[in-house]
Amino acid sequence: HQPTTLGILTGHTSAVTSVAFSPDGHTLATASFDDTARVWDISDPHHPTALGILTGHTSAVHSVAFNPDGQTLATASTDNTARVWNISDPHHPTALGILTGHTNTVFSVVFSPDGHTLATASTDGTARVWNISNPHHPTTLGILTGHTDAVFSVAFSPDGHTLATGSADNTARVWDFPGPIVAGHTNTVRSVAFSPDGHTLATASDDTTVRLWDIRDPHQPTTLGTLTGHTNTIRSVAFGPDGHTLATASTDNAARLWDIRDPHHPTALSTLTGHTNYVLSVAFSPDGHTLATASTDHTARLWNISDPYHPTPLGTLTGHTNAVLSVALSPDGHTLATASADGTARVWDISDPHHPTTLGTLTGHTNAVSSVAFSPDGHTLATASYDTTARLWDTRDPHHPTAQGTLTGHTNRVYSVAFSPDGHTLATASTDTTARLWETNIDRVVARICSITPAITSSEWDYYLPGLAYRPPCP
């Protein structure tokens, strides 16, 4: 069949670079080198009419894309930005948010199928993924690096789990995209925690609330309940070992305990007061009878929460010379680790929680230590620091903890560390907008390297290591 022209849309004053249909097919968006995008009513395709003009970009607009709800439009530009627009009234489109971070032209933009995520492709050689659940304040979720030239195109798979990019380096890449975004908070999410059975996620936010989410189907998390009561930022959240109790720490100088047996209707149990400044971290003992808290008042505290309605103070840990940013209890419950803005971590004997004593001080970081975590066997402690590194320490002799290794690669502060349940993997989170996974067992690292690296021959050994007996590291 011979295609025929239905209508011609005129109005742009320079080349038109991109077009996109709205989900209902009644609206068309166009992008142009004239630095604008336009929205058109094409209900009668023989007589398309101009609706609104989107102005704000300071250079050519290369790409337009509709959100699946049809109410939001995204644009990409040579001005190195993407923008998000409210077009619910297409006659009067309004700017929502500007996505900055790319260092060269943004060539392509696309929404995820659920509309909560935006992907952009740029001639800076990267693609970026953005959380636009709050389109007024879009945030970077990840930067996709690997292409060696400009990235011109980006697309989501229909299920939203895969992203494809096309590049001037003559390749396309396929990326396994993380699961769905858990959205609902209205400000920064500071802390996340899984329930012991893995069915529930708790999220703590600067919006002064904690939210509970059913993640039994991780592809479709659903809201359960919201915990309100704190009057300032919530910095930490932790589940008790029975999964029925939740603890929170807040910059309102208090920690709180919550009954979440009915997660749709969580109820406050008690408020723990005594710290004289922000409470930044909470951690349960393995038996659930003791809670540890950390504060900017330079102390950590231990609390008897056997009766969660009436918690009582046990002991106060003093010695740090600056804010205590994180606490963690060993798997046997006899040892506590603290991380401090004084640049050290400390290990404490809390066998007698009324009289905790210092066992050892871990020095080596060159800036604040922001997080501590014990391995599941209790033999290793991980620390995170503003010095952009994480470190591993052998704590089998807690009186003399020894450095095992330094994990480098992050380009900004490392804020959090966490071990996998089997202890073989460590996760780190950083203000460089990335999280990293690390193998913690040196033997497994060597085995992995040897599995992909040819064994060195005796002649190669003699060439590179003359005079040394031939002892190849890989069999």
Side-chain angles (χ1 to χ4, degrees):
H1 297 286
Q2 184 68 32
T4 58
T5 301
L6 292 174
I8 300 175
L9 291 70
T10 60
H12 283 297
T13 58
S14 190
V16 179
T17 54
S18 177
V19 292
F21 285 96
S22 64
D24 64 8
H26 296 161
T27 308
L28 189 78
T30 56
S32 171
F33 277 3
D34 66 9
D35 303 355
T36 71
R38 290 184 177 233
V39 186
W40 312 79
D41 182 349
I42 57 168
S43 302
D44 178 357
H46 295 279
H47 301 96
T49 57
L51 294 173
I53 302 175
L54 290 68
T55 60
H57 283 296
T58 58
S59 193
V61 183
H62 286 280
S63 179
V64 285
F66 279 93
N67 188 298
D69 66 8
Q71 306 297 304
T72 307
L73 192 75
T75 55
S77 171
T78 305
D79 65 12
N80 301 358
T81 72
R83 290 183 177 237
V84 184
W85 312 79
N86 181 349
I87 57 165
S88 53
D89 177 358
H91 293 278
H92 302 96
T94 56
L96 293 174
I98 302 176
L99 290 68
T100 60
H102 283 296
T103 58
N104 212 324
T105 297
V106 184
F107 246 96
S108 181
V109 63
V110 65
F111 285 93
S112 62
D114 67 5
H116 294 157
T117 307
L118 194 74
T120 53
S122 170
T123 56
D124 65 10
T126 72
R128 289 185 177 233
V129 185
W130 312 78
N131 179 359
I132 56 162
S133 300
N134 180 353
H136 294 280
H137 302 285
T139 57
T140 305
L141 288 174
I143 302 173
L144 287 64
T145 60
H147 285 295
T148 58
D149 208 332
V151 183
F152 286 117
S153 181
V154 63
F156 277 100
S157 63
D159 64 7
H161 299 160
T162 306
L163 197 70
T165 53
S167 169
D169 65 8
N170 301 342
T171 71
R173 289 182 177 239
V174 180
W175 312 79
D176 184 14
F177 189 67
I181 295 169
V182 178
H185 286 293
T186 59
N187 209 325
T188 301
V189 179
R190 294 280 182 177
S191 180
V192 291
F194 287 99
S195 61
D197 63 9
H199 295 167
T200 307
L201 179 73
T203 56
S205 172
D206 282 3
D207 66 10
T208 75
T209 72
V210 170
R211 289 179 178 247
L212 300 176
W213 310 83
D214 182 342
I215 56 168
R216 283 175 290 184
D217 178 356
H219 295 298
Q220 293 184 327
T222 57
T223 303
L224 293 172
T226 303
L227 288 67
T228 61
H230 281 295
T231 58
N232 212 330
T233 296
I234 302 176
R235 296 296 295 267
S236 179
V237 61
F239 281 91
D242 62 5
H244 299 158
T245 307
L246 198 75
T248 54
S250 172
T251 55
D252 63 10
N253 299 3
R256 288 182 177 238
L257 295 174
W258 310 80
D259 183 343
I260 56 168
R261 282 175 290 187
D262 178 357
H264 294 280
H265 302 95
T267 57
L269 294 171
S270 56
T271 302
L272 289 70
T273 59
H275 284 295
T276 58
N277 213 320
Y278 299 163
V279 185
L280 302 181
S281 180
V282 286
F284 283 91
S285 62
D287 63 9
H289 294 162
T290 304
L291 189 76
T293 56
S295 171
T296 54
D297 66 9
H298 302 190
T299 72
R301 288 182 177 240
L302 298 174
W303 310 78
N304 181 349
I305 57 169
S306 300
D307 177 357
Y309 290 96
H310 302 97
T312 56
L314 293 171
T316 302
L317 292 71
T318 61
H320 283 296
T321 58
N322 208 327
V324 182
L325 304 179
S326 177
V327 287
L329 283 108
S330 62
D332 65 8
H334 297 157
T335 307
L336 184 80
T338 54
S340 173
D342 65 12
T344 72
R346 289 185 178 231
V347 185
W348 311 77
D349 181 352
I350 58 168
S351 302
D352 177 358
H354 293 279
H355 302 97
T357 57
T358 304
L359 293 173
T361 302
L362 289 65
T363 60
H365 284 295
T366 58
N367 206 326
V369 182
S370 49
S371 179
V372 284
F374 279 99
S375 62
D377 64 8
H379 296 166
T380 305
L381 188 75
T383 55
S385 173
Y386 291 1
D387 66 9
T388 76
T389 73
R391 290 182 178 235
L392 296 175
W393 311 81
D394 184 339
T395 55
R396 282 175 292 185
D397 177 359
H399 292 278
H400 302 96
T402 56
Q404 288 184 315
T406 303
L407 288 65
T408 61
H410 284 296
T411 58
N412 211 323
R413 295 176 174 182
V414 184
Y415 260 99
S416 183
V417 285
F419 281 95
S420 62
D422 64 8
H424 293 159
T425 306
L426 186 76
T428 55
S430 168
T431 54
D432 65 9
T433 74
T434 71
R436 291 182 179 235
L437 298 176
W438 312 79
E439 174 63 72
T440 60
N441 184 300
I442 188 63
D443 293 331
R444 291 166 61 92
V445 173
V446 170
R448 183 175 298 177
I449 293 171
C450 289
S451 70
I452 60 175
T453 304
I456 187 170
T457 66
S458 59
S459 59
E460 290 171 331
W461 182 281
D462 290 339
Y463 179 80
Y464 291 109
L465 302 166
L468 291 179
Y470 179 54
R471 289 189 302 170
C474 297

